[in-house]
């Protein structure tokens, strides 16, 4: 019984201590109600509307950030080494010789360099799109959800394929879905382990020269694209100025790699920048 009496005394003391706070809260609430009653209804409704819109905007921004794409596309001409690079990125496996893909290869991976650098990793969805001219339209199926594009170039056999590779890259860089979303593009100069391979600086300059298109011939020559698609695309460069990739609306960078020897660090760094949390 003594313990119960002590509890009752303590509760009474707590009640007496909270009484001033209760009175103060009631006073503040009363003053707030009086203040709100003095505000014209139009202003009050406007303030509530601004608060609701601001809340919805913040929620939308958070949802957009959460929905950031994790898809990176490997594209380029057939024989450039896209599929070998795909397997190297997927599991570090080495595939000798040429691997020609007739269907897109897809895999969700965690970059090997993430664990090495102890940085926060995020699963990456890699898509290897076939480079055959008849299969390139498959690229359009993946572009709407692309966070980045790796355009693979054979640096060993670059010169004979310079025009075709430049034309294909021109096609990608002028697509509305790429330009409007400012999807970053990496020109990956593959097979750089070979002694006779061209450097990334040489390849970049040659492709810029090839893509300098003052008469719009490259754009007009893309016979595989319908007139409707072309009308929705953009043009490259600045009028009457030599073309450089720095003029593109989206970021275009150049790197070197070797799918056969596992030298893919620059590609992994690009991918991580595209999908990092």
């Amino acid at each position: 019984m003594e313990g119960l009496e002590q509890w009752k005394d303590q509760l009474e003391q707590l009640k007496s201590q909270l009484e001033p706070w209760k009175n103060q809260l009631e006073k503040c609430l009363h003053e707030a109600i009086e203040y709100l009653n003095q505000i014209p209804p139009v202003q009050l409704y406007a303030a509530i509307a601004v608060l609701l819109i601001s809340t919805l905007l913040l929620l939308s921004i958070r949802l957009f950030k959460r929905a950031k794409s994790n898809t990176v596309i490997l594209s380029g001409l057939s024989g450039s080494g896209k599929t070998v690079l795909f397997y190297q990125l997927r599991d570090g496996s080495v595939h000798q010789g040429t691997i020609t893909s007739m269907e897109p290869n897809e895999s969700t991976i965690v970059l090997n360099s993430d664990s090495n650098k102890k940085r926060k990793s995020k699963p990456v969805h890699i898509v290897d799109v076939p480079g055959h001219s008849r299969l390139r339209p498959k690229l359009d199926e993946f572009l709407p959800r692309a966070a980045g594009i790796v355009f693979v170039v054979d640096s060993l056999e670059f010169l004979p394929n310079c025009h075709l590779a430049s034309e294909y890259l021109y096609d990608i860089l002028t697509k509305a879905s790429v330009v409007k979303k400012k999807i970053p593009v990496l020109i990956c100069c593959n097979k750089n382990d070979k002694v006779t391979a061209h450097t990334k600086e040489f390849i970049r300059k040659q492709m810029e020269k090839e893509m300098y298109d003052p008469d719009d011939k490259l754009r007009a020559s893309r016979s595989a694209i319908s007139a409707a698609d072309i009308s929705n695309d953009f043009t490259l460069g600045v009028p009457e100025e030599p073309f450089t990739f720095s003029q593109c609306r989206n970021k275009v960078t150049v790197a070197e790699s070797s799918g056969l020897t596992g030298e893919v660090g620059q590609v992994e760094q690009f991918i991580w920048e595209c999908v990092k949390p």
Side-chain angles (χ1 to χ4, degrees):
M1 295 295 293
E2 291 182 0
L4 183 59
E5 290 296 329
Q6 290 178 357
W7 274 103
K8 287 183 178 180
D9 292 340
Q10 291 178 1
L11 286 173
E12 289 296 331
Q13 291 177 7
L14 181 62
K15 183 178 179 182
S16 62
Q17 292 175 0
L18 292 176
E19 192 68 27
W21 289 98
K22 176 185 175 184
N23 295 335
Q24 186 67 27
L25 182 61
E26 289 178 348
K27 182 181 177 181
C28 292
L29 183 61
H30 180 69
E31 291 177 353
I33 292 173
E34 287 186 347
Y35 176 75
L36 290 174
N37 288 333
Q38 294 174 4
I39 300 176
V42 175
Q43 294 183 12
L44 184 61
Y45 295 151
I48 294 173
V50 170
L51 180 62
L52 288 174
I53 292 173
S54 300
T55 303
L56 290 173
L57 183 60
L58 289 173
L59 289 173
S60 299
I61 291 173
R62 292 192 66 180
L63 287 172
F64 176 77
K65 288 183 176 179
R66 288 179 182 176
K68 183 178 179 180
S69 173
N70 70 332
T71 298
V72 174
I73 298 173
L74 303 181
S75 61
L77 299 180
S78 294
S80 60
K82 296 186 305 300
T83 304
V84 174
L85 186 61
F86 169 82
Y87 285 120
Q88 185 64 239
L89 292 169
R90 188 188 69 176
D91 51 28
S93 58
V94 177
H95 291 255
Q96 298 288 340
T98 301
I99 304 173
T100 302
S101 300
M102 300 306 292
E103 291 292 335
N105 295 307
E106 299 183 57
S107 183
T108 300
I109 64 172
V110 174
L111 297 174
N112 294 325
S113 57
D114 282 351
S115 57
N116 296 336
K117 294 186 178 181
K118 296 181 180 179
R119 60 191 178 191
K120 188 175 181 181
S121 61
K122 178 182 179 180
V124 183
H125 184 221
I126 304 292
V127 181
D128 165 28
V129 179
H132 193 281
S133 58
R134 294 182 181 178
L135 301 176
R136 288 179 198 169
K138 291 182 178 291
L139 176 67
D140 295 328
E141 299 175 14
F142 300 99
L143 283 179
R145 49 193 170 99
I149 300 171
V150 178
F151 187 84
V152 185
V153 176
D154 184 345
S155 57
L156 189 64
E157 298 293 335
F158 170 69
L159 286 178
N161 298 306
C162 179
H163 178 76
L164 291 176
S166 300
E167 189 175 58
Y168 188 11
L169 182 58
Y170 182 98
D171 180 18
I172 292 173
L173 292 176
T174 54
K175 284 184 178 294
S177 56
V178 174
V179 177
K180 290 179 179 179
K181 291 173 60 180
K182 294 184 178 180
I183 300 175
V185 175
L186 175 71
I187 301 174
C188 176
C189 305
N190 197 29
K191 306 181 184 180
N192 76 323
D193 55 301
K194 306 298 183 182
V195 177
T196 56
H198 295 286
T199 65
K200 64 179 183 180
E201 290 80 13
F202 175 81
I203 291 174
R204 175 183 60 79
K205 290 179 180 179
Q206 290 300 120
M207 294 189 80
E208 285 176 340
K209 289 180 181 178
E210 192 70 32
M211 294 170 70
Y212 177 48
D213 196 27
D215 299 323
D216 216 17
K217 293 179 180 179
L218 266 178
R219 189 165 181 256
S221 67
R222 292 180 296 164
S223 58
I225 302 177
S226 68
D229 290 334
I230 291 178
S231 65
N232 291 326
D233 286 352
F234 292 77
T235 55
L236 289 182
V238 178
E240 300 181 1
E241 288 187 17
F243 171 73
T244 63
F245 288 117
S246 62
Q247 297 168 353
C248 295
R249 294 176 176 86
N250 52 327
K251 186 177 181 180
V252 180
T253 52
V254 187
E256 293 175 331
S257 73
S258 173
L260 288 178
T261 62
E263 297 176 27
V264 295
Q266 295 179 45
V267 180
E268 287 191 332
Q269 179 62 31
F270 169 80
I271 293 173
W272 185 82
E273 292 290 339
C274 292
V275 304
K276 64 182 178 181

